[in-house]
């Protein structure tokens, strides 16, 4: 059996511990150098290792011995270093197509894009030795990738790339948004693109002063202003609100033509489905190895992803299939009332929030949809009493804010209640154990989010308020999150109000919907809670789209604007599922 060994020497600082681990290896005990040192790094010779796993016991976070699927016959396309992450196969961009990539964090999506865009020179599994174009062409002989590298070699492919981490842009560029975009404006289309991406108002703002959502759109603008044959977008919708996400997805779709292709990494399944013609799935073990599947049609690819099983490759990457209910929950349930609020207005500087009368039942899950800057967080903070005047009295509320605070507290202490009460329901599915000994301030965005979700769901309360729990989570974690929340609410009988921009997530967990209307930064109006169907109809009417259910997986899909189904559903006023 083929296997790889991963050693994260950054997590393994203590020399005495490393020596101890080395002394445990049965192969070393017979006199061979299976575990050896290089520049004081502990390394494993994968040809000698027998896969006994003894060395992983004292350092489960740092050392992983992983058996590879049988069908991986070739060497990896790239390996970051000895005993480091390995990527197998590559996704291939095509003219006139949007090719999507879907997979967990740490599975190698960005690595694959960086190879195709030339940022990383692949080494065909030999760290420290870049492969030449001819070697790559030879390695990929007979596949689509061969043609791609042949064109790349001849300098026939121009490439433009929107990186994942837009928050790094202000560290690299200084000055105004306009000056940044002018520098890259090969197409001389700055005005038009700024208009389409709603950036006109921030053109003269300093790049360090704009919001995450604005930065994302600036990065997308910079990418498309360049003349290129292939445009790469690594997670183009993070920080964007639901309306902008839909708009940007349509915009990205619109970039392809006979001479132009697009490749996109995306965790929001509804958007990926809407954007992509073809999809590559990525599977493997995060931080150890990742494999790119053959391309599939978008519809089939997403259904295969949900099923958790790749037939052609004979690989199961999830224990269970993920399924959706065929119908939206029927009309609102007349159950016990938990709480209600009277109509109110609240002014915050020049912004005014206006809410009609509303209520929350016991065991009620209310999804909240609306643009950025329209008052969703303000509304939640008012109900929670964080902003005084109209709080829900006599209720114990557990709140997860949008912006997560962190300090030097250990995760283990922060999550005491969750560890004591909900090991099975929260700690395990959110994969929190490996984080216990870390400080909150050392966690990545997605790790901090998972910790806060566990904290919020484990606290004693009557009502759970969550602001954007899906932010920074990958597709797998988002799909899981819906089930985790539903499960906890069922056990505890609590109700929840959940603000989020991932429509599949909101659709899966909600019994009812609150929809915001108004003008961002000026006024916001809270309408609802509505029964699901009525709320979605109201929301979709605002953005001009219609939804149907996939006949196989029953997941929601956006109808292509102007398609038969789209027109028919609009005519009948039935925007949310025919
Ligand atoms: P994804 O985009 O799917 O989240 P990445 O391609 O960013 O995944 O990362 C895949 C793995 O490669 C991760 O475990 C990451 O730690 C590792 N990795 C990324 N960049 C480097 C690097 N420069 N050196 C070593 N390892 C890296
Ligand atoms: Fe040695 Fe076993 Fe670890 Fe391989 S898995 S390095 S053989 S201890």
């Amino acid at each position: 059996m083929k296997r790889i060994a991963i050693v994260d020497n950054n997590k393994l600082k203590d020399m005495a511990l490393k020596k101890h681990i080395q002394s445990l290896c049965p192969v070393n005990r017979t006199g061979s150098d299976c575990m050896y040192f290089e520049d004081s790094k502990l390394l494993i010779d994968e040809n000698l290792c027998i896969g006994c796993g003894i060395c992983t016991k004292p350092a489960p976070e740092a050392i992983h011995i992983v058996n590879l699927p049988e069908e991986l016959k070739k060497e990896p396309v790239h390996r970051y270093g000895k005993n480091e992450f390995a990527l197998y196969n590559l996704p291939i961009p095509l003219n006139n197509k949007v090719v999507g990539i879907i997979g967990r964090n740490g599975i190698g999506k960005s690595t694959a894009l960086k190879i195709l865009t030339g940022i990383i020179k692949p080494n065909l599994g030999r760290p420290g030795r870049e492969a030449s174009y001819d070697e790559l062409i030879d390695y990929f002989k007979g596949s689509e990738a061969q043609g791609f590298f042949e064109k790349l070699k001849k300098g026939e492919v121009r490439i433009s790339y929107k990186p994942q981490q837009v928050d790094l842009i202000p560290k690299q560029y200084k000055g105004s948004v306009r000056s940044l975009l002018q520098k890259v404006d090969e197409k001389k289309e700055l005005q038009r693109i700024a208009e389409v991406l709603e950036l006109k108002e921030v053109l003269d703002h300093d790049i360090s002063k704009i919001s995450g959502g604005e930065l994302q759109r600036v990065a997308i603008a910079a990418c498309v202003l360049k003349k290129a044959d292939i445009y790469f977008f690594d997670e183009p919708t993070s920080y964007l609100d639901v309306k902008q996400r839909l708009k940007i997805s349509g915009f990205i779709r619109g970039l392809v033509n006979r001479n132009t292709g697009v490749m996109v990494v995306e965790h929001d399944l509804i958007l990926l489905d809407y954007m992509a013609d073809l999809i590559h799935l990525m599977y493997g073990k995060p931080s150890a190895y990742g494999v790119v599947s053959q391309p599939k049609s978008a519809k089939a690819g997403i259904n295969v992803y949900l099923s958790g099983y790749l037939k052609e490759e004979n690989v199961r990457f999830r224990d269970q299939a993920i399924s959706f209910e065929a119908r939206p929950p029927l009309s609102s349930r007349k159950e016990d009332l938990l709480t209600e609020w009277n109509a109110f207005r609240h002014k915050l500087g020049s912004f005014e929030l206006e809410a009609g009368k509303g209520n929350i039942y016991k065991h009620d899950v209310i999804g909240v949809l609306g643009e950025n800057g329209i008052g969703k967080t303000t509304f939640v903070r008012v109900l929670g009493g964080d902003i005084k005047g109209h709080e829900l009295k006599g209720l114990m509320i557990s709140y997860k804010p949008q912006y997560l605070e962190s300090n030097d507290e250990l995760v283990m202490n922060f999550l005491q209640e969750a560890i004591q009460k909900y090991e099975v329901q929260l700690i395990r599915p959110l994969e929190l154990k490996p984080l216990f000994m870390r400080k909150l301030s050392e966690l990545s965005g997605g790790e901090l989010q998972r910790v806060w979700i566990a904290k919020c769901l484990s606290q004693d309360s009557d009502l759970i308020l969550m602001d954007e729990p899906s932010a920074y989570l990958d597709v797998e974690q988002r799909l899981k999150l819906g089930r985790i929340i539903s499960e906890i609410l069922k056990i505890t009988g609590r109700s929840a109000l959940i603000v989020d921009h991932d429509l599949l997530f909101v659709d899966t967990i909600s019994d009812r919907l609150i929809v915001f209307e108004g003008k961002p930064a000026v006024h916001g109006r809270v309408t609802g809670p509505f029964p699901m169907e009525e709320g979605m109809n109201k929301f979709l009417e605002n953005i001009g789209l219609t939804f149907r259910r996939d006949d196989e997986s029953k997941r929601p899909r956006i109808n292509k604007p102007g398609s038969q189904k789209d027109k028919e559903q609009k005519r009948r006023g039935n925007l949310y599922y025919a």
Side-chain angles (χ1 to χ4, degrees), residues 219-236:
I220 293 171
C223 176
V224 302
L225 284 173
K226 284 195 205 142
K227 287 185 186 159
D229 305 300
I230 308 184
Y231 293 92
F232 290 86
F233 299 93
D234 199 345
E235 301 191 20

Side-chain angles (χ1 to χ4, degrees), residues 80-81 84-86 103-112 114 120 164 234-235 265 267 282 286-288:
Y80 277 110
E84 292 188 35
F85 181 82
R104 303 201 56 173
N105 279 342
I107 206 79
K109 301 179 300 299
S110 299
T111 304
K114 284 181 186 163
I120 292 179
Q164 182 201 346
D234 199 345
E235 301 191 20
V265 171
H267 290 295
M282 287 191 68
S287 296

Side-chain angles (χ1 to χ4, degrees), residues 24-28 34-35 44 48-56 65:
L24 299 176
C25 176
V27 182
N28 279 56
C34 176
M35 295 197 104
I44 296 174
L48 294 179
C49 171
I50 54 168
C52 69
I54 291 173
C55 58
T56 62
I65 309 290

Side-chain angles (χ1 to χ4, degrees), residues 137-353:
I137 291 165
D138 193 47
Y139 177 91
F140 285 111
K141 202 155 227 137
S143 71
E144 296 269 8
Q146 179 189 353
F148 177 78
F149 283 106
E150 276 167 356
K151 277 199 246 163
L152 210 57
K153 181 186 172 194
K154 287 187 237 156
E156 285 173 1
V157 198
R158 289 169 305 172
I159 275 160
S160 186
Y161 168 61
K162 199 249 8 129
Q164 182 201 346
Q165 284 188 288
V166 294
D167 48 315
L168 297 182
I169 296 173
K171 297 194 177 110
Q172 289 152 355
Y173 293 95
K174 304 283 167 215
S176 70
V177 170
R178 187 189 299 278
S179 69
L180 165 70
L181 293 180
Q182 270 166 349
K183 262 187 223 143
V184 293
D185 186 13
E186 297 172 359
K187 292 184 182 162
K188 299 292 166 222
E189 287 193 343
L190 201 159
Q191 283 307 323
R192 184 180 76 82
I193 294 296
E195 179 118 19
V196 176
L197 298 181
E198 293 174 27
L199 285 170
K200 288 194 110 157
E201 277 165 33
V202 298
L203 277 180
D204 292 307
H205 293 192
D206 195 277
I207 199 96
S208 62
K209 297 270 156 42
I210 63 178
S211 71
E214 287 160 349
L215 206 50
Q216 184 68 268
R217 283 175 286 135
V218 169
I220 293 171
C223 176
V224 302
L225 284 173
K226 284 195 205 142
K227 287 185 186 159
D229 305 300
I230 308 184
Y231 293 92
F232 290 86
F233 299 93
D234 199 345
E235 301 191 20
T237 68
S238 13
Y239 305 108
L240 299 185
D241 67 35
V242 59
K243 203 166 165 184
Q244 290 162 346
R245 287 181 186 200
L246 291 161
K247 199 161 173 191
I248 291 284
S249 307
F251 173 74
I252 289 178
R253 247 230 80 73
L255 290 173
V256 297
N257 60 43
R258 228 153 33 91
N259 305 312
T260 314
V262 164
M263 186 167 272
V264 59
V265 171
E266 178 58 57
H267 290 295
D268 184 319
L269 282 183
I270 290 189
L271 300 182
L272 184 68
D273 180 51
Y274 183 43
M275 273 188 276
D277 299 298
L278 297 170
I279 288 181
H280 291 274
L281 279 65
M282 287 191 68
Y283 60 93
K285 184 173 162 53
S287 296
Y289 77 99
V291 187
V292 182
S293 81
Q294 294 303 312
K296 302 174 192 307
S297 75
K299 177 181 150 102
I302 291 177
N303 286 350
V304 167
Y305 192 78
L306 293 172
S307 79
Y309 177 64
L310 270 155
K311 199 147 100 206
E312 288 124 59
E313 284 89 350
N314 186 23
V315 171
R316 175 161 292 289
F317 52 89
R318 191 187 316 106
D319 293 341
Q320 297 162 303
I322 290 170
S323 55
F324 297 89
E325 306 214 358
R327 298 182 158 280
L330 296 173
S331 60
S332 104
R333 306 167 307 172
K334 293 185 192 60
E335 289 163 64
D336 298 343
L337 199 65
L338 174 71
T339 186
E340 53 191 338
W341 62 87
N342 287 320
F344 68 84
R345 282 170 186 274
H346 186 86
K347 242 181 136 48
L348 262 187
S350 59
F351 177 76
E352 189 174 44
L353 179 72

